[in-house]
């Protein structure tokens, strides 16, 4: 036993001589530390961007995007159809997979998709609302991505009022590279048959994922404090918040 302890002590002494500790700090906060052998190298690679902007076809301009956690989707800063691309603007109300912008004072149109699989953002038969309206740089979020948004593990979401508009504010976790990033989803309500309802109370955001003859969507209720993933008939007009179609953009295909 004594021989083993002496051997371990010698090993520690050797490591202290032949290695050095590299600490990664953010202000006074220790983020990580690594033991690096003498003669070894520490390589800091440039981190991928966590905010940016990409061209969108229908507004014919660059639309900003924001990432809230590592490997998470990159959400557009505004709803599809929003005036002047403002985060607080309600935007249009679209049936599932539809492209007709329903809303107050607009003749109602139901152009929903009846497909049994996720709305497609690639190939010859594009059915994704965001891709059809904004172009190949964009797509709709999946059910799984909305689940990851609101499960409180990846970011922090709270019902709040921003610039006088009720909605859901999701922010990157403190202590991460994403802590200053945020995405606001206004409580736009819904439009069914030309009847716009529950504005400033409910937020309803289509995902690209079906649920039998219905489809999944992100739902929150400002009065009840409800935040969940739900499903509903595809014939109702909900908000659409696009995410960056990275499989397309990172291959050098932007625009």
């Amino acid at each position: 036993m004594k021989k083993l302890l002496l051997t371990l002590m010698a090993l520690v002494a050797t490591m202290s001589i032949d290695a050095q500790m590299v600490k990664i700090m953010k202000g006074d906060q220790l983020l990580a530390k690594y033991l690096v052998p003498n003669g070894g190298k520490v390589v800091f690679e440039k981190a991928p961007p966590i905010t940016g902007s990409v061209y969108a076809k229908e507004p014919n301009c660059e639309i900003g995007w924001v990432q809230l956690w590592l490997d998470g989707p990159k959400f557009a800063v505004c709803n599809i159809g929003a005036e002047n691309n403002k985060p607080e603007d309600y935007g249009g109300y679209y049936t599932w997979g539809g492209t007709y912008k329903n809303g107050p004072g607009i003749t109602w149109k139901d152009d929903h998709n009846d497909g049994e699989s996720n709305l497609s953002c690639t190939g010859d038969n594009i059915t994704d609302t965001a891709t059809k309206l904004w172009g190949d740089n964009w797509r709709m979020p999946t059910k799984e991505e909305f689940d990851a948004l609101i499960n409180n593990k990846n970011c922090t979401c709270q019902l709040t009022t921003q610039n006088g508009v009720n909605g859901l504010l999701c922010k990157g976790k403190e202590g991460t590279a994403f802590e200053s990033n945020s995405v606001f989803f206004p409580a736009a309500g819904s439009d069914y048959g030309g009847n716009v309802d529950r504005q400033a109370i409910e937020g309803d955001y289509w995902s690209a994922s079906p649920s039998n003859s219905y489809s999944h969507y992100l739902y929150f209720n400002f009065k009840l404090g409800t935040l969940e993933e739900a499903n509903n008939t595809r014939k109702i007009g909900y908000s659409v918040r696009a995410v960056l179609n990275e499989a397309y953009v990172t291959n050098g295909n932007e625009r």
Side-chain angles (χ1 to χ4, degrees):
M1 184 68 177
K2 185 176 180 181
K3 184 176 181 181
L4 175 61
L5 289 174
L6 290 173
T7 302
L8 288 173
M9 290 174 64
L11 177 62
V12 172
T14 302
M15 289 177 63
S16 64
I17 295 172
D18 296 337
Q20 56 184 330
M21 186 68 70
V22 175
K23 297 181 180 180
I24 309 298
M25 306 290 294
K26 180 179 181 182
D28 295 329
Q29 182 183 6
L30 177 65
L31 298 181
K33 57 184 180 179
Y34 304 94
L35 197 63
V36 181
N38 282 342
K41 305 190 290 187
V42 179
V43 179
F44 293 93
E45 296 183 355
K46 183 178 180 181
I50 58 177
T51 61
S53 62
V54 167
Y55 178 75
K57 182 173 64 175
E58 186 172 85
N60 191 26
C61 67
E62 297 274 326
I63 299 289
W65 56 262
V66 176
Q67 189 176 23
L68 299 179
W69 67 90
L70 185 65
D71 297 326
K74 296 174 178 177
F75 288 93
V77 298
C78 63
N79 287 349
I80 289 184
E83 292 294 325
N84 300 316
N85 308 322
K86 290 180 59 177
E88 298 85 10
D89 191 89
Y90 291 159
Y93 300 85
Y94 303 90
T95 58
W96 193 68
T99 58
Y100 185 81
K101 183 181 178 180
N102 292 297
I106 301 174
T107 302
W108 169 260
K109 182 178 179 180
D110 173 16
D111 58 347
H112 77 275
N113 184 281
D114 282 322
E116 297 180 357
S117 58
N118 278 17
L119 294 174
S120 174
C121 61
T122 60
D124 296 328
N125 184 29
I126 292 176
T127 54
D128 186 294
T129 296
T131 310
K132 288 193 288 186
L133 289 175
W134 276 12
D136 293 324
N137 294 333
W138 301 95
R139 61 174 177 81
M140 293 166 65
T142 63
K143 171 190 181 298
E144 292 74 20
E145 288 171 329
F146 272 146
D147 287 341
L149 177 73
I150 64 175
N151 66 12
N152 203 36
K153 296 178 181 178
N154 302 302
C155 60
T156 303
C157 294
Q158 63 175 352
L159 298 173
T160 187
T161 301
Q162 177 169 294
N163 295 327
V165 177
N166 292 346
L168 178 71
L169 180 66
C170 295
K171 302 176 67 175
K173 290 275 190 180
E174 290 188 11
T176 71
F178 308 90
E179 66 179 355
S180 61
N181 289 357
S182 65
V183 179
F184 183 72
F185 300 84
S190 59
D191 186 354
Y192 189 55
N195 298 311
V196 178
D197 190 27
R198 312 293 286 175
Q199 288 183 324
I201 299 174
E202 288 184 3
D204 308 282
Y205 286 79
W206 280 129
S207 80
S209 307
S211 176
N212 297 320
S213 60
Y214 285 7
S215 291
H216 293 279
Y217 71 103
L218 174 68
Y219 167 79
F220 58 87
N221 187 301
F222 198 82
K223 283 189 174 180
L224 300 178
T226 306
L227 174 60
E228 61 188 7
E229 185 276 324
N231 60 75
N232 205 350
T233 174
R234 303 173 180 188
K235 297 181 180 181
I236 194 167
Y238 282 162
S239 303
V240 175
R241 177 61 63 94
V243 296
L244 195 66
N245 185 3
E246 293 193 79
Y248 183 83
V249 174
T250 55
N251 287 331
N253 294 317
E254 185 181 337
R255 296 187 72 155

